[in-house]
Amino acid sequence: MKTYSVLLLSILIVFGTLAGCAPFGWSDEKSSASAPFYLPIGAALIGELPPKNNVVEQAIEAYTHTELQFEWIPMSAYDDKLRLMIAAGELPKLIKLGYAPVYIATIKDGQFWELGPLLKDYPHLSALDNQYYKNISVEGRIYGVPIIRDFGRATIQYRKDWFDRLGLEVPITLEDWYRVVRALTLEDPDGNGKQDTYGMVLEKKYNQDVSSILTRISVSQGGPNKWLVENGHFTPEFMTKPFFDTMKLFRRLYKENLINSDFVVVDTNETTKIYDSGRAGIQISGGNVQTWLDKLTKTVPDAIVDVALLTGPGGIRLPGEAGNAGFLAIPKDSVKTLEEVEKILDFLNKLFEPPMQTVITKGVEGRHWADRGDYTEVLNRTLDLKEVKPYRDLLPFLADDQSSIKPSLQPELYLKNQKIGQVNRAYIVENPALTLESDTYREKGKELETIILDAETKFIMGMIDEEGWNAELAKWKQAGGDQMSLEYERSL
């Protein structure tokens, strides 16, 4: 405890230095005898579980005068767990939601506090680009604070050492993708004399949400992002030729055993382990490729990975995203008063102040990073992944868009990925229905989505042919798909 106390004191002194303000910027408030505000938070976990009450949590608690209790839920089980918590009325005071039909319906049922009219009293929250709020609004109202992300994140990440060994190029056409995945699977890219690698590994949510690999590759090939709008008429992506051609690619890969046959049951954690252990060679990801390299080199010290723009026959082209990884909302079941809502907003507002952005982005000085004058340097990338990344994934931070904290000295690969992220913004294809209203989507969105997601999987696995696929499309239309398209047209 003594070590942590000394460390925490040094953290807070540094806060003042980095922020260009007096240390202990919260001193007036903290000098009061009030007890810390108890704030349980429902959190999606990607990667390792951080140590309980670690120094990052302590730093956030000290600055915001809170007692935090994070309930970490693996991302692969998050939606199921959250639905149970909502049904049981057992949500924490602050919870991460996604912009999905089930949550939108819950919001419309009045189970969460509307925050829009209150934001003006919180300078950092109200200063955010309005587009971030617009993309999480429900019927024009704001019910959360976005966990901000870039609007165009998809990149191709690949084992450059394997590509060089086999003479491969980064894929552009669908045929390129087939050749690359085939070679990485069958031509012994790691040179161990065994056929024990995959070109690409899929997980059970391969076709869902903004990270759908079908959408990402289809868009790169000229397809729309979720919906095509022509002459005011809305057509879903899965009824377009680029998307169908992309499905045929994966059907071919599956038939020839070039992707993992168990993809319908494995989750992200399992597929990540395959990539991190050096058994797969290419993926499309929204994360920074440096994270993959840091984990991979523990198993394959001489591994080389690289990152490239998502490019198709027509040039760089990728799906635009909502600019968030979900949003933090306040349930009415667990937060009964406006006074409590304001305390939570105050906590979120403080997270955007430079000292907190430093902790969320970099961790704690002396443990996770060092001050090198004009920049900071990561001291231990493994510790950063274990103790800092979970909070970076969960809490709002502005990443490269903030000038109030010192830049980090990062490896060349990390910076290359960052630069691609900036370039991506000029080439994103927007989802035209992202914030449009549809009663059918709210009431039947999950059912309609399930029809298509299942049909895509059946087609890829060869359980249905093109005729069967068309039958599934007809089923989707009759179940409400046509009505949803009409409602989008009317709300455009």
Side-chain angles (χ1 to χ4, degrees):
M1 289 300 294
K2 182 178 179 181
T3 302
Y4 269 4
S5 298
V6 171
L7 186 56
L8 195 57
L9 177 61
S10 66
I11 295 165
L12 297 170
I13 291 173
V14 170
F15 282 166
T17 304
L18 289 177
C21 59
F24 306 94
W26 40 267
S27 57
D28 291 343
E29 186 174 337
K30 300 304 171 290
S31 63
S32 70
S34 62
F37 176 57
Y38 176 65
L39 182 56
I41 301 175
L45 179 65
I46 306 170
E48 288 188 65
L49 182 69
K52 190 174 178 60
N53 195 31
N54 61 70
V55 68
V56 172
E57 279 187 26
Q58 291 181 39
I60 296 172
E61 288 177 329
Y63 190 86
T64 59
H65 196 44
T66 53
E67 179 187 348
L68 302 176
Q69 180 182 323
F70 289 93
E71 182 175 352
W72 297 102
I73 305 168
M75 177 61 88
S76 58
Y78 191 79
D79 287 339
D80 291 339
K81 173 75 172 177
L82 188 51
R83 281 194 287 271
L84 292 174
M85 294 166 75
I86 291 173
E90 295 178 348
L91 291 169
K93 291 183 178 180
L94 190 62
I95 185 77
K96 173 183 176 292
L97 298 181
Y99 197 77
V102 62
Y103 303 131
I104 293 173
T106 305
I107 288 171
K108 286 191 171 184
D109 286 342
Q111 296 190 41
F112 290 87
W113 286 86
E114 183 187 354
L115 305 181
L118 306 175
L119 294 177
K120 65 180 186 309
D121 297 326
Y122 302 89
H124 295 292
L125 299 183
S126 60
L128 294 177
D129 188 324
N130 191 53
Q131 189 64 43
Y132 290 119
Y133 286 116
K134 182 180 178 183
N135 288 353
I136 61 169
S137 66
V138 177
E139 295 182 323
R141 299 186 179 91
I142 298 165
Y143 293 87
V145 172
I147 303 169
I148 294 171
R149 294 292 182 273
D150 209 323
F151 288 104
R153 300 188 309 138
T155 60
I156 297 175
Q157 303 180 359
Y158 62 100
R159 285 287 301 268
K160 188 174 186 305
D161 50 346
W162 289 7
F163 272 56
D164 291 347
R165 185 173 294 136
L166 300 179
L168 300 173
E169 300 287 340
V170 176
I172 293 178
T173 67
L174 293 180
E175 189 61 25
D176 291 341
W177 276 99
Y178 170 76
R179 283 196 295 266
V180 164
V181 173
R182 187 180 189 282
L184 294 176
T185 305
L186 300 180
E187 297 181 16
D188 191 21
D190 58 359
N192 68 355
K194 302 177 182 176
Q195 191 174 311
D196 57 355
T197 58
Y198 286 108
M200 176 183 290
V201 177
L202 299 187
E203 52 99 5
K204 60 185 178 183
K205 293 187 176 181
Y206 73 99
N207 56 348
Q208 298 183 33
D209 305 325
V210 297
S211 58
S212 163
I213 194 167
L214 297 183
T215 297
R216 283 173 164 171
I217 292 184
S218 171
V219 169
S220 77
Q221 303 300 305
N225 181 8
K226 304 300 184 186
W227 290 88
L228 172 68
V229 182
E230 289 181 320
N231 301 318
H233 178 67
F234 275 68
T235 302
E237 62 177 355
F238 46 80
M239 292 185 182
T240 66
K241 186 176 186 304
F243 193 92
F244 188 65
D245 289 344
T246 302
M247 283 204 308
K248 288 198 292 186
L249 164 69
F250 282 94
R251 182 184 174 99
R252 185 181 182 188
L253 294 173
Y254 180 84
K255 182 179 180 180
E256 298 180 20
N257 297 316
L258 302 179
I259 56 174
N260 53 316
S261 60
D262 60 351
F263 71 93
V264 294
V265 295
V266 299
D267 62 27
T268 304
N269 288 334
E270 293 170 271
T271 56
T272 298
K273 287 177 184 175
I274 294 175
Y275 280 100
D276 294 347
S277 61
R279 291 186 287 140
I282 189 169
Q283 57 184 326
I284 298 179
S285 173
N288 194 297
V289 68
Q290 184 67 46
T291 299
W292 181 20
L293 181 62
D294 290 342
K295 294 179 179 177
L296 177 62
T297 50
K298 292 178 182 176
T299 306
V300 189
D302 57 349
I304 302 172
V305 301
D306 205 349
V307 60
L309 290 150
L310 184 58
T311 304
I316 304 166
R317 188 177 163 90
L318 69 155
E321 301 180 12
N324 66 72
F327 55 95
L328 294 168
I330 304 174
K332 289 183 176 177
D333 279 342
S334 50
V335 178
K336 302 293 186 183
T337 68
L338 182 59
E339 181 183 7
E340 262 199 305
V341 172
E342 291 172 342
K343 285 183 178 180
I344 295 171
L345 288 176
D346 185 57
F347 163 76
L348 292 171
N349 189 66
K350 282 188 169 71
L351 295 183
F352 283 95
E353 294 176 0
M356 281 294 90
Q357 287 292 290
T358 299
V359 169
I360 295 170
T361 306
K362 306 170 188 288
V364 170
E365 185 181 16
R367 182 171 177 83
H368 305 107
W369 58 274
D371 192 339
R372 304 299 189 204
D374 293 335
Y375 57 86
T376 64
E377 183 176 13
V378 177
L379 290 176
N380 185 324
R381 304 197 78 85
T382 299
L383 208 55
D384 177 88
L385 289 174
K386 187 174 183 178
E387 295 185 351
V388 185
K389 185 176 182 296
Y391 304 93
R392 212 158 46 219
D393 290 337
L394 172 68
L395 300 174
F397 81 103
L398 299 172
D400 303 324
D401 294 332
Q402 54 187 325
S403 57
S404 57
I405 66 173
K406 285 187 178 181
S408 299
L409 179 65
Q410 295 284 4
E412 185 178 340
L413 183 64
Y414 181 98
L415 297 175
K416 182 178 181 181
N417 202 129
Q418 271 192 324
K419 188 172 183 179
I420 287 178
Q422 295 164 1
V423 172
N424 273 347
R425 295 173 191 174
Y427 298 96
I428 60 176
V429 178
E430 302 285 359
N431 172 5
L434 183 63
T435 59
L436 296 183
E437 291 292 333
S438 163
D439 289 339
T440 302
Y441 177 73
R442 176 171 61 87
E443 296 165 3
K444 298 182 177 180
K446 187 62 180 176
E447 174 191 345
L448 292 169
E449 184 181 63
T450 300
I451 291 173
I452 291 303
L453 297 182
D454 288 350
E456 290 167 357
T457 298
K458 289 176 183 175
F459 183 80
I460 289 171
M461 296 180 71
M463 298 169 68
I464 58 174
D465 56 14
E466 187 167 350
E467 184 179 348
W469 168 251
N470 288 330
E472 293 295 325
L473 295 184
K475 181 179 174 183
W476 178 86
K477 290 180 176 181
Q478 292 169 5
D482 272 348
Q483 181 62 28
M484 186 165 66
S485 301
L486 286 173
E487 289 168 359
Y488 281 148
E489 290 172 20
R490 291 166 184 159
S491 62
L492 188 63

